[in-house]
Amino acid sequence: MITRPKPEKFRLRRSMMFMNAQKPGLIKDAYIYGTDSIILDLEDAVAENQKDMARFSLYNAMKSIDYGDTEVIVRINGLETPHWQEDIRCCVAAGVDGIRIAKCESADDVKKVEAAVDSAEKEFGVEEGRTLLMAALESPLGIMNAYQICTASDRLFGCAISAGDFRKSMHVKIEKGGIEMFTARGQVVMAARAAGVQCFDTMWPNIDDEAGFEAETIQAKKLGFDGKSLVNPRQIAFVHQTFAPTQKEIAYAEKLVRSFNEQADSGVGVYTVDGKMVDIPFFEDARRTIDMAKKTGVYHGDL
């Protein structure tokens, strides 16, 4: 039997790759692709009459496969279905790292799932608080309630925007440049930052359109997302590259950190670096850059 360590609420989550929980041949080697997180799907990927089989497959996979450092999250069925409570019992008993709440629209949705997880942890003798949560925001109501959702539970580590259902609700189609998603993406990022949790961009549906995928990934990074949902292993490397600091960014961050340390010893709080005025917020951002560079393995300095 495989026993996983307690999950980390804040960890590197650049890539989150969806996989059908019903297919043992697919999920048994999921960790070899190098994605930060896998999302075993009990919802849309599984036919209505196959939900029990998918849970059986998921439970046995978790108990027999060592996923190593790869985080394992499960997307449960929506709270409007008769499946979500049994999904949660299966997830907790199996020892998954986290549960993704599909079609989350309110803080009450998060609290309802939290209560079910609490009950399941007691039922199966799992450490209280071990199972993390994340919310998938898929509707206008979910987007508008993003901050309340992100602050509804201490278990919740982040939220993800899911564009398929959202676009349908808004009566729009995929547009080049993503103009139809700008408002929603911005609101999700701001809510997550205000709540102090992570946020993840939606998956790119056309796996043959690499240029479109790469453009959207770069846009997500620029908007402030922490990572991106994926459906194909071929997309992982580009996502990891995009969400890692560049050598130019690292070099400038090093310069800022070193100069700040020198100036702080002299009692100076505002000064110039490369002709630009900098102060404490610049230093904090530089530290984040260095920390991210360390986590992604692209920093080899001594800070």
Side-chain angles (χ1 to χ4, degrees):
M1 285 285 189
I2 302 297
T3 301
R4 292 182 62 77
K6 186 174 181 178
E8 300 174 45
K9 186 171 181 180
F10 296 102
R11 55 162 287 166
L12 197 61
R13 295 184 176 99
R14 300 160 296 178
S15 55
M16 308 183 88
M17 186 167 68
F18 280 93
M19 294 188 145
N20 187 339
Q22 188 184 358
K23 298 183 177 180
L26 182 67
I27 65 177
K28 69 181 180 68
D29 296 325
Y31 59 90
I32 69 174
Y33 298 117
T35 183
D36 292 329
S37 306
I38 58 172
I39 301 179
L40 302 180
D41 192 9
L42 292 175
E43 193 206 16
D44 289 346
V46 179
E48 186 68 19
N49 64 354
Q50 296 295 310
K51 301 295 186 182
D52 287 336
M53 182 62 71
R55 283 190 286 265
F56 179 82
S57 172
L58 185 152
Y59 180 85
N60 283 282
M62 291 301 302
K63 291 302 184 183
S64 60
I65 300 170
D66 185 359
Y67 287 100
D69 293 334
T70 304
E71 182 179 51
V72 182
I73 298 169
V74 175
R75 178 166 73 170
I76 62 171
N77 287 278
L79 304 188
E80 78 285 358
T81 74
H83 306 296
W84 68 275
Q85 290 170 303
E86 194 61 26
D87 289 348
I88 288 175
R89 292 183 68 249
C90 174
C91 290
V92 173
V96 304
D97 298 321
I99 289 171
R100 177 171 167 133
I101 308 169
K103 299 178 176 65
C104 188
E105 293 193 318
S106 69
D108 285 342
D109 287 349
V110 177
K111 291 173 181 176
K112 186 182 294 187
V113 170
E114 181 182 47
V117 171
D118 286 342
S119 177
E121 286 180 342
K122 291 184 177 69
E123 178 183 357
F124 296 108
V126 174
E127 179 184 355
E128 182 180 354
R130 183 192 182 282
T131 313
L132 301 178
L133 300 177
M134 68 176 295
L137 310 180
E138 310 183 40
S139 69
L141 183 58
I143 299 295
M144 294 186 71
N145 288 335
Y147 178 73
Q148 288 79 11
I149 289 169
C150 288
T151 54
S153 170
D154 288 339
R155 293 179 184 264
L156 194 135
F157 67 79
C159 62
I161 189 167
S162 185
D165 287 341
F166 178 77
R167 287 190 181 101
K168 292 176 185 176
S169 299
M170 296 297 292
H171 307 161
V172 297
K173 300 179 296 183
I174 297 177
E175 299 288 349
K176 186 175 182 179
I179 189 172
E180 82 286 3
M181 296 294 297
F182 276 177
T183 300
R185 281 186 167 118
Q187 191 153 333
V188 168
V189 173
M190 283 194 290
R193 292 291 170 260
V197 300
Q198 294 177 320
C199 53
F200 312 98
D201 191 36
T202 187
M203 68 177 187
W204 177 253
N206 187 353
I207 60 175
D208 294 325
D209 182 4
E210 288 191 26
F213 162 72
E214 291 179 1
E216 185 173 83
T217 301
I218 292 169
Q219 181 187 82
K221 169 69 184 308
K222 289 180 177 180
L223 285 169
F225 283 96
D226 294 293
K228 189 165 178 62
S229 301
L230 308 172
V231 292
N232 192 299
R234 296 201 312 263
Q235 300 171 331
I236 296 171
F238 186 80
V239 167
H240 286 190
Q241 174 188 324
T242 302
F243 282 91
T246 66
Q247 289 305 309
K248 183 178 180 180
E249 290 170 335
I250 294 170
Y252 185 61
E254 280 188 310
K255 185 179 292 187
L256 284 176
V257 172
R258 294 187 194 284
S259 64
F260 181 86
N261 291 338
E262 293 169 0
Q263 297 294 335
D265 291 340
S266 303
V268 178
V270 179
Y271 53 96
T272 60
V273 174
D274 293 346
K276 298 178 182 178
M277 188 187 77
V278 297
D279 54 12
I280 291 177
F282 285 83
F283 169 75
E284 293 170 348
D285 187 59
R287 285 287 351 164
R288 278 194 296 270
T289 298
I290 296 295
D291 290 342
M292 176 59 77
K294 289 178 179 177
K295 289 178 180 177
T296 55
V298 296
Y299 180 70
H300 308 290
D302 57 359
L303 289 179

